[in-house]
Amino acid sequence: MLINVPETVVADALRGIAAAHPDLTVDVENRVVVRRDAPVAGKAALVSGGGSGHEPLHAGFVGPGMLSAACAGEVFTSPVPDQMLRAALAVDSGAGVLFVVKNYTGDVLNFEMAAELADEEGVRVAQVLVNDDVAVTDSLFTAGRRGTGATLFVEKIAGAAAEEGAPLDRVAALARQVNESSRSFGVALTSVTTPAKGSPTFDLPEGELELGVGIHGEPGRERRPMMTSREIADFAVDAVLEDLRPNGPVIALVNGMGATPLLELYGFNAEVQRVLSERGVVVARTLVGNYVTSLDMAGCSVTLCEVDEELVRLWDAPVETPALRWGR
């Protein structure tokens, strides 16, 4: 692994983010990343965070048009409430803060505690829980569906609304609409290796894949002998559509888990688009790349979000972050 020692891997990464992106304020000691112009007068702020190891989620989505701040926990471990409170206090202009929380037990509990602490400090907080993964109804880390790729859709679309000056209640309502309109399904071709363990976290024999894997390597629905890209796309998209059943167009995210080349992801996207066309689903926008990763896991996920004209407009709105940047 390209690290110094496991104990400093998160701090080292944050120092690297600070060096590469001077438009962000990076508090390495407290592991909080804030857009440099925060707080923005009159603007509702968005704060998210979670365990490290899913980059560019979440620090890579901090900037105008998306998150106001992000908190980084240890690898696959939730940040603590004090980090979330520090982020909220740094970005609140008096217009309130939306916490975007992926549905993992540690994140949920710690963000709830942070919201209580923020309330005591006079910061108005709303929360949205992202729970888009259709692979399993419960997992090792959650009660209910896991939060995965839809987090990007929530942060982008709600962030755009906040940037336009929408009040906190409206930003929160849009975030919940996006979550309720989104579903995901992931596939692992290899295990993930965490810096602390230094070896694969689960056994996946060569020539097999895990259908429905979680972004921490949680078990999915089943294992099968290796399938073609075409067969995986059929399985993954159908799994999403069994739950989502869109009546309108969708935004499609074809996401890499961290160790799958773009050559393969674009080829997989071609198959995803084929399946959607065959199922009569209109694709309004598509994003392909590594956005919600699992360290060095080979594999991919598909997220679909049913959208109306307003959601497409907010998706297209300018954004300027390390990982998403268009329209400015």
Side-chain angles (χ1 to χ4, degrees), residues 42 44 95 124 161-162 165-173:
R124 189 161 65 100
L168 179 62
D169 291 347
R170 178 57 181 158
V171 173

Side-chain angles (χ1 to χ4, degrees), residues 25-161:
T25 300
V26 180
D27 181 344
V28 176
E29 180 180 357
N30 294 294
R31 303 184 179 189
V32 176
V33 179
V34 180
R35 56 184 281 183
R36 185 167 290 279
D37 60 352
V40 179
K43 174 186 172 303
L46 274 74
V47 171
S48 192
S52 297
H54 306 300
E55 289 69 24
L57 187 79
H58 292 276
F61 299 145
V62 176
M66 215 162 170
L67 290 178
S68 308
C71 311
E74 289 294 335
V75 172
F76 293 177
T77 301
S78 173
V80 298
D82 282 351
Q83 290 175 266
M84 300 159 182
L85 176 62
R86 187 179 295 272
L89 292 174
V91 300
D92 180 45
S93 67
V97 178
L98 175 66
F99 284 166
V100 180
V101 186
K102 300 189 305 300
N103 188 31
Y104 295 98
T105 303
D107 289 345
V108 173
L109 293 175
N110 287 345
F111 268 108
E112 286 179 351
M113 189 176 298
E116 294 174 4
L117 295 172
D119 180 67
E120 293 174 1
E121 296 284 346
V123 178
R124 189 161 65 100
V125 172
Q127 298 189 64
V128 58
L129 186 67
V130 181
N131 58 351
D132 54 305
D133 189 349
V134 301
V136 293
T137 54
D138 294 288
S139 82
L140 300 176
F141 292 80
T142 71
R145 292 189 310 223
R146 301 173 292 220
T148 57
T151 313
L152 183 153
F153 289 150
V154 170
E155 293 176 357
K156 172 64 186 77
I157 291 172

Side-chain angles (χ1 to χ4, degrees), residues 20 61 146 153 176 186 190 193 213 235 273-274:
F61 299 145
R146 301 173 292 220
F153 289 150
R176 296 187 184 104
T190 67
T193 299
V213 73
F235 194 102
Q273 302 291 327
R274 172 190 57 78

Side-chain angles (χ1 to χ4, degrees), residues 148-322:
T148 57
T151 313
L152 183 153
F153 289 150
V154 170
E155 293 176 357
K156 172 64 186 77
I157 291 172
E163 201 70 38
E164 292 180 349
L168 179 62
D169 291 347
R170 178 57 181 158
V171 173
L174 280 166
R176 296 187 184 104
Q177 178 185 349
V178 171
N179 177 61
E180 291 165 3
S181 302
S182 300
R183 299 291 187 275
S184 295
F185 191 89
V187 179
L189 309 183
T190 67
S191 173
V192 58
T193 299
T194 62
K197 190 169 186 290
S199 60
T201 59
F202 63 92
D203 177 38
L204 184 58
E206 187 174 353
E208 294 186 10
L209 51 75
E210 178 95 19
L211 294 166
V213 73
I215 57 173
H216 306 97
E218 307 99 313
R221 289 184 179 179
E222 60 178 296
R223 290 187 177 182
R224 289 188 181 185
M226 189 61 67
M227 301 159 64
T228 65
S229 179
R230 182 184 187 89
E231 293 168 334
I232 294 172
D234 281 326
F235 194 102
V237 173
D238 282 343
V240 170
L241 294 180
E242 285 173 7
D243 202 292
L244 183 60
R245 302 182 185 281
N247 294 312
V250 301
I251 300 176
L253 168 64
V254 170
N255 173 66
M257 292 294 196
T260 298
L262 279 173
L263 177 74
E264 296 176 30
L265 288 179
Y266 277 113
F268 181 64
N269 180 54
E271 298 297 341
V272 168
Q273 302 291 327
R274 172 190 57 78
V275 183
L276 290 171
S277 176
E278 291 174 356
R279 305 297 186 267
V281 179
V282 175
V283 179
R285 301 288 186 273
T286 300
L287 184 66
V288 179
N290 292 290
Y291 294 103
V292 184
T293 64
S294 184
L295 285 170
D296 60 349
M297 181 190 289
C300 58
S301 62
V302 176
T303 303
L304 302 179
C305 176
E306 184 176 7
V307 290
D308 55 22
E309 289 184 4
E310 181 180 25
L311 296 191
V312 173
R313 184 185 65 77
L314 291 168
W315 176 259
D316 289 342
V319 60
E320 188 173 356
T321 72

